[in-house]
Protein backbone atom coordinates (compact mmCIF):
# COMPACT_ATOMS: atom_id res chain seq x y z
CA UNK A 1 0.00 0.00 0.00
CA UNK A 2 1.22 3.49 -0.82
CA UNK A 3 0.95 5.29 2.53
CA UNK A 4 0.84 8.63 0.72
CA UNK A 5 -2.30 7.69 -1.21
CA UNK A 6 -4.52 5.56 1.06
CA UNK A 7 -8.15 4.93 0.12
CA UNK A 8 -10.50 7.64 1.39
CA UNK A 9 -13.86 7.07 3.08
CA UNK A 10 -16.47 9.81 3.41
CA UNK A 11 -18.63 9.60 6.53
CA UNK A 12 -20.99 12.32 7.67
CA UNK A 13 -19.40 14.92 5.42
CA UNK A 14 -15.86 14.18 6.65
CA UNK A 15 -13.08 12.36 4.84
CA UNK A 16 -11.07 9.64 6.61
CA UNK A 17 -8.06 7.63 5.51
CA UNK A 18 -8.70 3.89 5.37
CA UNK A 19 -5.72 1.79 6.46
CA UNK A 20 -5.62 -1.43 4.51
CA UNK A 21 -4.98 -4.76 6.22
CA UNK A 22 -2.37 -6.91 4.56
CA UNK A 23 -3.99 -10.20 3.63
CA UNK A 24 -2.35 -13.33 2.32
CA UNK A 25 -3.53 -14.23 -1.18
CA UNK A 26 -4.57 -17.85 -1.45
CA UNK A 27 -4.23 -19.92 -4.62
CA UNK A 28 -7.42 -20.26 -6.66
CA UNK A 29 -9.01 -17.48 -4.64
CA UNK A 30 -11.76 -17.13 -7.21
CA UNK A 31 -12.87 -20.67 -6.46
CA UNK A 32 -13.17 -20.29 -2.70
CA UNK A 33 -16.36 -21.55 -1.13
CA UNK A 34 -17.92 -18.87 1.07
CA UNK A 35 -20.64 -21.22 2.28
CA UNK A 36 -21.41 -21.58 5.93
CA UNK A 37 -21.48 -24.92 7.72
CA UNK A 38 -23.91 -27.73 6.85
CA UNK A 39 -26.72 -26.61 9.09
CA UNK A 40 -26.15 -22.88 9.22
CA UNK A 41 -28.47 -21.92 6.38
CA UNK A 42 -31.36 -24.36 6.69
CA UNK A 43 -33.41 -21.98 8.80
CA UNK A 44 -32.92 -18.96 6.52
CA UNK A 45 -36.18 -17.28 5.46
CA UNK A 46 -37.12 -18.21 1.91
CA UNK A 47 -39.86 -15.69 1.15
CA UNK A 48 -37.49 -13.91 -1.25
CA UNK A 49 -37.68 -16.80 -3.72
CA UNK A 50 -40.12 -19.47 -4.83
CA UNK A 51 -39.73 -23.14 -3.88
CA UNK A 52 -42.03 -25.34 -5.94
CA UNK A 53 -43.37 -28.70 -4.85
CA UNK A 54 -42.95 -31.44 -7.47
CA UNK A 55 -43.79 -35.14 -7.75
CA UNK A 56 -40.30 -36.00 -6.55
CA UNK A 57 -39.93 -33.34 -3.86
CA UNK A 58 -39.08 -29.66 -4.25
CA UNK A 59 -37.23 -27.40 -6.67
CA UNK A 60 -36.09 -23.82 -6.95
CA UNK A 61 -34.89 -21.90 -10.02
CA UNK A 62 -32.19 -19.23 -9.89
CA UNK A 63 -31.48 -16.75 -12.68
CA UNK A 64 -27.69 -16.49 -12.88
CA UNK A 65 -25.56 -14.78 -15.57
CA UNK A 66 -23.32 -17.35 -17.28
CA UNK A 67 -20.03 -15.63 -16.24
CA UNK A 68 -20.88 -16.54 -12.63
CA UNK A 69 -21.48 -20.26 -13.19
CA UNK A 70 -17.84 -21.06 -12.44
CA UNK A 71 -18.18 -19.80 -8.88
CA UNK A 72 -21.00 -22.26 -8.20
CA UNK A 73 -19.10 -25.10 -9.88
CA UNK A 74 -15.74 -24.43 -8.22
CA UNK A 75 -12.37 -25.94 -9.04
CA UNK A 76 -12.92 -29.39 -10.61
CA UNK A 77 -16.58 -29.15 -9.57
CA UNK A 78 -15.73 -29.25 -5.87
CA UNK A 79 -18.00 -26.39 -4.76
CA UNK A 80 -21.03 -27.82 -6.54
CA UNK A 81 -20.38 -31.31 -5.16
CA UNK A 82 -20.01 -29.99 -1.62
CA UNK A 83 -23.23 -27.97 -1.89
CA UNK A 84 -25.12 -31.01 -3.17
CA UNK A 85 -23.70 -33.31 -0.50
CA UNK A 86 -24.26 -31.01 2.46
CA UNK A 87 -27.77 -29.94 1.46
CA UNK A 88 -28.80 -33.31 -0.06
CA UNK A 89 -29.88 -31.66 -3.30
CA UNK A 90 -29.07 -31.86 -6.99
CA UNK A 91 -27.93 -28.68 -8.74
CA UNK A 92 -28.31 -28.40 -12.52
CA UNK A 93 -26.19 -25.69 -14.18
CA UNK A 94 -26.38 -24.72 -17.89
CA UNK A 95 -23.33 -25.20 -20.08
CA UNK A 96 -20.65 -22.47 -19.95
CA UNK A 97 -21.65 -19.46 -22.03
CA UNK A 98 -25.29 -20.56 -22.29
CA UNK A 99 -27.70 -18.24 -20.49
CA UNK A 100 -30.33 -20.02 -18.40
CA UNK A 101 -31.44 -20.93 -14.92
CA UNK A 102 -29.71 -22.96 -12.25
CA UNK A 103 -32.23 -25.52 -10.98
CA UNK A 104 -31.99 -26.91 -7.44
CA UNK A 105 -33.97 -30.09 -6.69
CA UNK A 106 -34.29 -32.16 -3.54
CA UNK A 107 -36.60 -34.35 -1.50
CA UNK A 108 -36.72 -31.91 1.40
CA UNK A 109 -37.77 -28.28 1.23
CA UNK A 110 -35.22 -27.28 3.88
CA UNK A 111 -32.38 -28.68 1.79
CA UNK A 112 -33.49 -26.78 -1.30
CA UNK A 113 -33.80 -23.57 0.74
CA UNK A 114 -30.33 -24.10 2.22
CA UNK A 115 -28.75 -24.69 -1.19
CA UNK A 116 -30.47 -21.63 -2.67
CA UNK A 117 -29.38 -19.44 0.24
CA UNK A 118 -25.77 -20.60 -0.08
CA UNK A 119 -25.78 -20.00 -3.82
CA UNK A 120 -27.12 -16.48 -3.23
CA UNK A 121 -24.28 -15.82 -0.76
CA UNK A 122 -21.70 -17.10 -3.24
CA UNK A 123 -23.11 -15.04 -6.10
CA UNK A 124 -23.29 -11.89 -3.99
CA UNK A 125 -19.68 -12.33 -2.84
CA UNK A 126 -18.26 -12.86 -6.31
CA UNK A 127 -20.45 -10.32 -8.09
CA UNK A 128 -18.93 -7.64 -5.87
CA UNK A 129 -15.49 -8.66 -7.15
CA UNK A 130 -16.42 -8.20 -10.81
CA UNK A 131 -15.16 -5.05 -12.58
CA UNK A 132 -17.97 -2.70 -13.54
CA UNK A 133 -19.24 -3.07 -17.11
CA UNK A 134 -21.60 -0.09 -17.45
CA UNK A 135 -22.24 3.29 -15.86
CA UNK A 136 -24.93 5.95 -15.81
CA UNK A 137 -23.65 9.12 -17.41
CA UNK A 138 -24.41 12.58 -18.72
CA UNK A 139 -22.40 13.29 -21.89
CA UNK A 140 -20.34 16.50 -21.81
CA UNK A 141 -18.75 16.08 -25.24
CA UNK A 142 -20.59 18.85 -27.06
CA UNK A 143 -18.32 20.64 -29.61
CA UNK A 144 -18.03 23.87 -27.61
CA UNK A 145 -17.02 21.97 -24.45
CA UNK A 146 -14.50 19.87 -26.38
CA UNK A 147 -12.95 23.02 -27.85
CA UNK A 148 -12.53 24.63 -24.44
CA UNK A 149 -11.15 21.39 -23.01
CA UNK A 150 -8.49 21.28 -25.74
CA UNK A 151 -7.65 24.90 -24.91
CA UNK A 152 -7.32 23.91 -21.24
CA UNK A 153 -5.02 21.02 -22.18
CA UNK A 154 -2.85 23.24 -24.38
CA UNK A 155 -2.48 25.91 -21.70
CA UNK A 156 -1.74 23.38 -18.94
CA UNK A 157 1.04 21.79 -21.02
CA UNK A 158 2.39 25.21 -21.92
CA UNK A 159 2.50 26.54 -18.35
CA UNK A 160 2.87 23.43 -16.18
CA UNK A 161 4.68 20.79 -18.25
CA UNK A 162 7.77 21.10 -16.04
CA UNK A 163 5.78 20.18 -12.93
CA UNK A 164 6.41 16.64 -11.73
CA UNK A 165 4.40 14.04 -13.62
CA UNK A 166 2.48 16.40 -15.91
CA UNK A 167 2.27 15.12 -19.50
CA UNK A 168 -0.17 15.01 -22.41
CA UNK A 169 -0.99 11.35 -21.69
CA UNK A 170 -2.91 12.33 -18.53
CA UNK A 171 -5.76 14.05 -20.33
CA UNK A 172 -9.19 12.61 -21.03
CA UNK A 173 -10.29 11.97 -24.60
CA UNK A 174 -12.43 15.08 -25.32
CA UNK A 175 -15.05 12.95 -27.12
CA UNK A 176 -15.60 11.05 -23.87
CA UNK A 177 -16.02 13.91 -21.42
CA UNK A 178 -18.86 12.98 -19.08
CA UNK A 179 -20.42 12.99 -15.64
CA UNK A 180 -20.55 9.58 -13.98
CA UNK A 181 -23.54 9.04 -11.71
CA UNK A 182 -22.83 5.43 -10.72
CA UNK A 183 -21.33 2.17 -11.95
CA UNK A 184 -23.02 -1.18 -12.60
CA UNK A 185 -22.01 -4.81 -13.14
CA UNK A 186 -24.31 -6.13 -15.88
CA UNK A 187 -23.26 -9.59 -16.97
CA UNK A 188 -25.81 -10.55 -19.62
CA UNK A 189 -28.46 -9.09 -21.93
CA UNK A 190 -31.21 -9.71 -19.39
CA UNK A 191 -29.48 -7.57 -16.77
CA UNK A 192 -28.81 -4.84 -19.33
CA UNK A 193 -32.49 -4.84 -20.29
CA UNK A 194 -33.49 -4.71 -16.63
CA UNK A 195 -31.33 -1.59 -16.19
CA UNK A 196 -32.81 0.00 -19.33
CA UNK A 197 -36.34 -0.68 -18.12
CA UNK A 198 -35.57 0.80 -14.71
CA UNK A 199 -34.12 3.91 -16.36
CA UNK A 200 -37.38 4.46 -18.22
CA UNK A 201 -39.42 3.98 -15.05
CA UNK A 202 -37.25 6.60 -13.33
CA UNK A 203 -38.07 9.05 -16.12
CA UNK A 204 -41.78 8.50 -15.58
CA UNK A 205 -41.62 8.41 -11.77
CA UNK A 206 -39.52 11.48 -10.96
CA UNK A 207 -37.06 12.73 -13.61
CA UNK A 208 -39.68 14.53 -15.73
CA UNK A 209 -41.19 16.02 -12.59
CA UNK A 210 -37.85 17.43 -11.43
CA UNK A 211 -36.78 18.72 -14.84
CA UNK A 212 -40.20 19.79 -16.09
CA UNK A 213 -39.50 17.69 -19.16
CA UNK A 214 -36.84 20.22 -20.25
CA UNK A 215 -33.03 19.92 -20.59
CA UNK A 216 -30.96 21.04 -17.62
CA UNK A 217 -28.66 23.97 -18.36
CA UNK A 218 -25.37 23.53 -16.53
CA UNK A 219 -22.04 25.31 -16.46
CA UNK A 220 -18.72 23.50 -16.38
CA UNK A 221 -16.22 25.73 -14.62
CA UNK A 222 -13.24 25.40 -12.31
CA UNK A 223 -11.06 22.41 -11.44
CA UNK A 224 -10.60 20.37 -8.28
CA UNK A 225 -8.61 17.30 -7.21
CA UNK A 226 -9.73 14.01 -5.66
CA UNK A 227 -7.12 13.15 -3.02
CA UNK A 228 -5.96 15.19 -0.04
CA UNK A 229 -2.52 16.27 -1.33
CA UNK A 230 -2.45 18.47 -4.47
CA UNK A 231 1.25 17.76 -4.93
CA UNK A 232 0.38 14.09 -5.46
CA UNK A 233 -2.74 14.24 -7.61
CA UNK A 234 -4.20 11.23 -9.38
CA UNK A 235 -7.48 12.67 -10.65
CA UNK A 236 -8.25 16.27 -11.60
CA UNK A 237 -11.84 17.06 -12.49
CA UNK A 238 -13.95 19.94 -13.75
CA UNK A 239 -16.77 21.14 -11.52
CA UNK A 240 -20.37 21.25 -12.72
CA UNK A 241 -23.30 23.30 -11.42
CA UNK A 242 -26.77 24.32 -12.53
CA UNK A 243 -26.78 27.71 -14.25
CA UNK A 244 -29.92 28.79 -12.36
CA UNK A 245 -28.32 27.91 -9.02
CA UNK A 246 -30.85 25.18 -8.25
CA UNK A 247 -30.04 21.66 -7.06
CA UNK A 248 -32.13 19.89 -9.72
CA UNK A 249 -29.14 18.13 -11.30
CA UNK A 250 -28.07 16.84 -7.88
CA UNK A 251 -31.64 15.71 -7.17
CA UNK A 252 -31.85 13.76 -10.44
CA UNK A 253 -28.45 12.14 -9.84
CA UNK A 254 -29.16 11.20 -6.21
CA UNK A 255 -32.62 9.77 -6.90
CA UNK A 256 -31.41 7.77 -9.90
CA UNK A 257 -28.65 6.19 -7.84
CA UNK A 258 -31.02 5.58 -4.93
CA UNK A 259 -33.45 3.76 -7.24
CA UNK A 260 -30.72 1.66 -8.87
CA UNK A 261 -29.24 0.74 -5.47
CA UNK A 262 -32.69 -0.32 -4.23
CA UNK A 263 -33.09 -2.57 -7.28
CA UNK A 264 -29.80 -4.35 -6.54
CA UNK A 265 -28.23 -3.21 -9.82
CA UNK A 266 -25.83 -0.78 -8.14
CA UNK A 267 -23.88 -0.70 -4.87
CA UNK A 268 -24.20 2.32 -2.60
CA UNK A 269 -20.89 4.18 -2.33
CA UNK A 270 -21.74 7.69 -1.13
CA UNK A 271 -24.63 9.47 0.54
CA UNK A 272 -24.70 11.90 -2.40
CA UNK A 273 -23.42 11.65 -5.96
CA UNK A 274 -20.26 13.69 -6.44
CA UNK A 275 -20.87 15.55 -9.70
CA UNK A 276 -17.57 15.85 -11.52
CA UNK A 277 -16.08 15.54 -15.00
CA UNK A 278 -12.64 13.92 -15.06
CA UNK A 279 -10.18 15.91 -17.19
CA UNK A 280 -6.87 14.37 -16.05
CA UNK A 281 -6.27 10.88 -14.66
CA UNK A 282 -3.01 9.07 -13.93
CA UNK A 283 -4.58 5.79 -15.09
CA UNK A 284 -4.29 7.16 -18.61
CA UNK A 285 -0.51 7.51 -18.29
CA UNK A 286 0.29 3.79 -18.43
CA UNK A 287 -2.47 2.86 -20.82
CA UNK A 288 -3.95 5.68 -22.89
CA UNK A 289 -6.69 3.30 -24.09
CA UNK A 290 -8.09 2.98 -20.56
CA UNK A 291 -11.72 4.15 -20.80
CA UNK A 292 -11.09 5.20 -24.38
CA UNK A 293 -10.61 2.74 -27.20
CA UNK A 294 -10.08 -0.51 -25.32
CA UNK A 295 -12.32 -3.21 -26.77
CA UNK A 296 -11.82 -5.61 -23.85
CA UNK A 297 -14.74 -6.08 -21.49
CA UNK A 298 -12.90 -7.74 -18.61
CA UNK A 299 -10.72 -6.45 -15.85
CA UNK A 300 -8.15 -3.85 -16.79
CA UNK A 301 -4.64 -4.83 -15.81
CA UNK A 302 -3.27 -3.42 -12.58
CA UNK A 303 -1.23 -0.30 -13.07
CA UNK A 304 0.88 1.41 -10.45
CA UNK A 305 -0.22 5.02 -10.61
CA UNK A 306 2.38 7.75 -10.88
CA UNK A 307 0.91 10.91 -9.37
CA UNK A 308 1.48 14.41 -10.72
CA UNK A 309 1.97 17.73 -8.97
CA UNK A 310 -1.26 19.62 -9.54
CA UNK A 311 -0.57 22.63 -7.34
CA UNK A 312 0.18 25.08 -10.16
CA UNK A 313 -2.68 23.77 -12.29
CA UNK A 314 -5.09 24.33 -9.42
CA UNK A 315 -3.81 27.89 -8.90
CA UNK A 316 -3.70 28.90 -12.56
CA UNK A 317 -6.93 27.22 -13.69
CA UNK A 318 -8.99 27.43 -10.52
CA UNK A 319 -11.80 29.25 -12.37
CA UNK A 320 -11.24 28.01 -15.94
CA UNK A 321 -14.52 28.17 -17.84
CA UNK A 322 -15.22 25.12 -19.98
CA UNK A 323 -18.63 26.31 -21.10
CA UNK A 324 -22.37 25.87 -20.84
CA UNK A 325 -24.18 22.71 -21.87
CA UNK A 326 -27.73 21.37 -22.12
CA UNK A 327 -28.15 17.99 -20.42
CA UNK A 328 -31.09 16.25 -22.05
CA UNK A 329 -30.49 12.54 -21.44
CA UNK A 330 -29.04 10.07 -18.95
CA UNK A 331 -27.25 7.22 -20.68
CA UNK A 332 -26.51 3.65 -19.70
CA UNK A 333 -22.97 3.68 -21.10
CA UNK A 334 -20.83 0.64 -21.84
CA UNK A 335 -17.31 0.67 -20.47
CA UNK A 336 -14.41 0.19 -22.92
CA UNK A 337 -16.50 1.12 -25.97
CA UNK A 338 -17.03 3.85 -28.54
CA UNK A 339 -19.89 4.89 -30.80
CA UNK A 340 -19.73 6.82 -34.08
CA UNK A 341 -19.29 10.13 -32.23
CA UNK A 342 -16.40 8.80 -30.15
CA UNK A 343 -18.50 8.70 -26.97
CA UNK A 344 -19.21 5.48 -25.10
CA UNK A 345 -21.63 3.06 -26.74
CA UNK A 346 -25.09 3.46 -25.24
CA UNK A 347 -27.15 0.46 -24.09
CA UNK A 348 -30.13 2.63 -23.12
CA UNK A 349 -31.07 6.18 -22.20
CA UNK A 350 -33.84 8.45 -20.93
Amino acid sequence: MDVLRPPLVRIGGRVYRKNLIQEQALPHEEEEDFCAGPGDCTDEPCDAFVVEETERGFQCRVEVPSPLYKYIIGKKGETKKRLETETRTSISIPKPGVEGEIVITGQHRSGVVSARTRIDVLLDSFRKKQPFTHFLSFALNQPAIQEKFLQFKEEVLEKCSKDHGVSSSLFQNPAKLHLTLGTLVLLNEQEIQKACDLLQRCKEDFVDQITGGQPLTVEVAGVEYMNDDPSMTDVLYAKVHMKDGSDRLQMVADQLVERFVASGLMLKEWDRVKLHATVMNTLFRKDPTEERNNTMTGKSSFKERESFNGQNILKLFENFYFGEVQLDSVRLSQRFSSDASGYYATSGQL
Side-chain angles (χ1 to χ4, degrees):
M1 180 188 77
D2 188 340
V3 295
L4 296 177
R5 296 200 306 278
L8 302 179
V9 178
R10 289 173 170 79
I11 301 175
R14 296 189 177 186
V15 180
Y16 299 88
R17 290 183 176 88
K18 179 180 179 182
N19 295 323
L20 298 183
I21 299 174
Q22 189 70 30
E23 296 182 350
Q24 181 180 1
L26 299 177
H28 306 295
E29 182 179 356
E30 69 277 13
E31 310 296 357
E32 283 183 4
D33 186 351
F34 283 87
C35 294
D40 291 352
C41 297
T42 55
D43 294 326
E44 288 288 333
C46 59
D47 55 354
F49 48 83
V50 177
V51 178
E52 302 172 322
E53 188 169 4
T54 67
E55 293 181 356
R56 297 185 177 181
F58 298 87
Q59 74 172 18
C60 182
R61 298 176 178 273
V62 193
E63 290 187 4
V64 179
S66 58
L68 298 181
Y69 293 165
K70 61 183 179 182
Y71 300 119
I72 307 302
I73 297 170
K75 184 181 179 183
K76 298 181 180 180
E78 292 175 358
T79 301
K80 177 175 176 288
K81 291 175 184 176
R82 184 160 58 250
L83 280 169
E84 291 176 322
T85 300
E86 295 179 351
T87 62
R88 297 182 181 180
T89 59
S90 175
I91 301 172
S92 175
I93 301 175
K95 294 180 180 179
V98 177
E99 297 298 335
E101 295 178 318
I102 290 178
V103 181
I104 308 165
T105 57
Q107 294 184 349
H108 303 285
R109 181 185 181 89
S110 60
V112 173
V113 170
S114 177
R116 169 61 192 264
T117 304
R118 292 181 177 203
I119 287 175
D120 284 346
V121 171
L122 278 171
L123 294 176
D124 183 63
S125 298
F126 287 109
R127 180 179 281 276
K128 290 177 180 177
K129 294 185 177 182
Q130 304 301 308
F132 75 87
T133 60
H134 294 74
F135 57 99
L136 295 181
S137 73
F138 282 110
L140 296 177
N141 63 345
Q142 291 75 1
I145 299 291
Q146 289 196 47
E147 184 177 346
K148 291 293 290 184
F149 170 77
L150 291 173
Q151 177 188 335
F152 167 78
K153 176 180 178 180
E154 181 180 347
E155 292 184 12
V156 167
L157 293 176
E158 178 184 338
K159 298 175 181 179
C160 306
S161 61
K162 293 183 179 179
D163 293 344
H164 174 77
V166 175
S167 71
S168 61
S169 65
L170 296 176
F171 291 84
Q172 174 65 283
N173 179 342
K176 292 192 170 180
L177 289 167
H178 66 279
L179 296 178
T180 297
L181 306 185
T183 60
L184 306 94
V185 176
L186 306 177
L187 299 177
N188 59 19
E189 290 300 323
Q190 289 87 343
E191 292 189 345
I192 293 173
Q193 187 59 52
K194 182 180 178 182
C196 292
D197 293 344
L198 179 57
L199 202 53
Q200 290 305 315
R201 290 199 299 275
C202 289
K203 173 180 171 63
E204 299 166 3
D205 292 349
F206 61 85
V207 173
D208 283 346
Q209 181 179 356
I210 295 173
T211 64
Q214 300 297 318
L216 298 176
T217 303
V218 303
E219 290 183 319
V220 185
V223 293
E224 190 56 88
Y225 62 106
M226 281 290 189
N227 53 306
D228 58 352
D229 184 354
S231 68
M232 296 190 67
T233 300
D234 283 322
V235 176
L236 192 80
Y237 63 90
K239 295 183 285 187
V240 179
H241 62 269
M242 286 289 298
K243 186 176 182 179
D244 63 9
S246 72
D247 63 349
R248 288 185 296 158
L249 176 59
Q250 187 71 54
M251 288 174 62
V252 169
D254 288 342
Q255 291 190 36
L256 278 170
V257 170
E258 182 179 343
R259 186 67 65 87
F260 271 77
V261 168
S263 74
L265 289 170
M266 187 181 290
L267 294 177
K268 185 176 180 63
E269 296 184 75
W270 315 106
D271 291 333
R272 302 187 74 197
V273 176
K274 185 174 181 63
L275 296 171
H276 68 282
T278 298
V279 293
M280 299 174 70
N281 191 330
T282 54
L283 283 179
F284 300 153
R285 186 196 307 281
K286 295 289 186 180
D287 181 4
T289 64
E290 173 81 10
E291 296 299 333
R292 296 181 186 178
N293 302 317
N294 196 325
T295 58
M296 295 176 59
T297 57
K299 294 182 180 178
S300 58
S301 59
F302 173 79
K303 309 174 189 68
E304 185 174 350
R305 305 176 77 157
E306 179 190 350
S307 300
F308 65 94
N309 187 343
Q311 290 175 306
N312 285 331
I313 298 175
L314 289 163
K315 290 177 182 177
L316 295 172
F317 300 93
E318 179 182 5
N319 299 310
F320 187 89
Y321 188 73
F322 291 91
E324 178 181 308
V325 62
Q326 304 281 324
L327 301 181
D328 57 4
S329 67
V330 179
R331 308 188 189 198
L332 178 62
S333 300
Q334 182 180 333
R335 193 182 186 190
F336 301 132
S337 68
S338 296
D339 61 15
S341 72
Y343 193 69
Y344 300 94
T346 301
S347 298
Q349 64 182 22
L350 62 78

